[in-house]
Amino acid sequence: MSNTMCKAAEIADGIYAVGATDANETRFHGYHVNRGVTYNAYLIKGNNGKFTLVDTVRKEQSEQLVSKIRSVTDPKNIEAVIINHTEPDHSGAFPEIMKLCDPAVYATAAAAKFLKNMFGADASTVKNGDQVSIGGRTYVFAATPMVHWPDNMVTYLPSEKILFSNDAFGQHYASKEVFDTLSDVNVALEEATHYFANIVMPYRAQAAKAVQAVKTLKLDMIAPSHGTIWTEHIPDILKLYDALCSGQGSDATLVYDSMWGGTAQRADEALAELGKRYQSIKSFDLRNAHMSDVMAALSASKHVCIGSPTYNSRPTPRISTLLAEIEALAPPLKEYSIFGTFGWGGGASKKISEKLDALGLEKTFDLTRIS
Ligand SMILES: Cc1cc2nc3c(=O)[nH]c(=O)nc-3n(C[C@H](O)[C@H](O)[C@H](O)COP(=O)(O)O)c2cc1C
Ligand SMILES: [Fe+2]
Ligand SMILES: [Fe+2]
């Protein structure tokens, strides 16, 4: 590990980014990520010379966190740890930190319960709107339940106008730079969409409330627990979240699988049909596309067009997984269409229809036919 990787970045006066980066990681709890991962944590110096740590990192990255903290101060000077969310990507290194200092721990009641269960640790519980003074700095906590776990909160530092937003507004983007102004902002926004689609989308109603609350704050920085820190592009990320949380999609996404190529050959026909009604259409061949990228496209889609051969009287396993993900992640779909081929009795089309009808989508066309 190089020295630069282990040095904290000062993002504001006395406030340091001390999180971990893993540019080579391609998976995040089972789904595919395209540009590595980061687990952001922040160290804040109080007027008393002591420090507050906001969030930790994944257990495997503990060393990177500790060495970045050491580049600022001896960890024993940490007097408080704020845990916004106890999912292992943010709490994994918590026990390691607790070995090095004896801090007060702040968390929501739900997070405190999880910390007790996972690590036997005690935390002071904070509620929505609570203000706590630590080391002469005021911290304001806002509960954001189910964005995307029951324990989530965000932490606001009014004096610096910084919101530590944890998973909200995060992205799997292992940029070398910490700020949106230095990273490729279009990539950051694309990865924010990908992140939202795969993690936050089923809870968009709760996320919408959190976004409205965030808009009432004076903000110079939104510092999430994954990816780039938003500064100049705060309006862009808020606009993106407004769109993603709206439950309205305007695009179409075409997704297919194929065993011998027959269904794949018919994709153009389906595309032409879709082209009559949709301007923006993304197409995915599940034989080589990642499901997480499909879900990112679906997060802005009104229509899904699914192509499947019949495989033992049903859609192929990859298409079955797609249907399960549509049910689990609930993209804002209103309509669907189908294409594909079968050798004798068929069955894929019927099973796809049953599933999507049950989810309240309307069928617009079915181009399935015998091979
Ligand atoms: C493993 C396997 C299982 C199949 N099961 C069925 C089936 O249950 N019912 C049916 O009508 N056709 C079945 N077929 C035939 C395919 O659906 C048909 O060949 C179709 O055209 C293949 O489309 P593709 O070229 O996109 O893979 C099966 C084919 C394979 C290879
Ligand atoms: Fe999370
Ligand atoms: Fe996370």
Side-chain angles (χ1 to χ4, degrees), residues 289-312:
H290 294 295
M291 194 63 79
S292 59
D293 294 336
V294 175
M295 298 320 296
L298 288 178
S299 69
S301 291
K302 181 181 177 187
H303 188 113
V304 64
C305 178
I306 299 182
S308 180
T310 290
Y311 164 81
N312 301 323

Side-chain angles (χ1 to χ4, degrees), residues 205-268:
Q206 293 90 326
K209 279 189 208 151
V211 173
Q212 289 318 311
V214 166
K215 283 183 180 166
T216 66
L217 302 174
K218 288 196 171 64
L219 287 173
D220 281 348
M221 265 185 222
I222 296 180
S225 59
H226 299 285
T228 203
I229 296 174
W230 303 100
T231 58
E232 270 180 30
H233 296 284
I234 288 173
D236 298 322
I237 184 68
L238 290 178
K239 196 172 149 211
L240 177 67
Y241 260 62
D242 271 341
L244 291 169
C245 292
S246 70
Q248 303 292 321
S250 54
D251 302 349
T253 301
L254 181 143
V255 196
Y256 62 90
D257 193 9
S258 195
M259 297 183 289
W260 291 111
T263 302
Q265 269 177 22
R266 287 166 166 79
D268 281 348

Side-chain angles (χ1 to χ4, degrees), residues 28 85 87 89-90 166-167 195 225-226:
F28 185 79
H85 177 35
E87 194 164 5
D89 52 336
H90 308 296
N166 197 264
D167 282 337
Y195 185 91
S225 59
H226 299 285

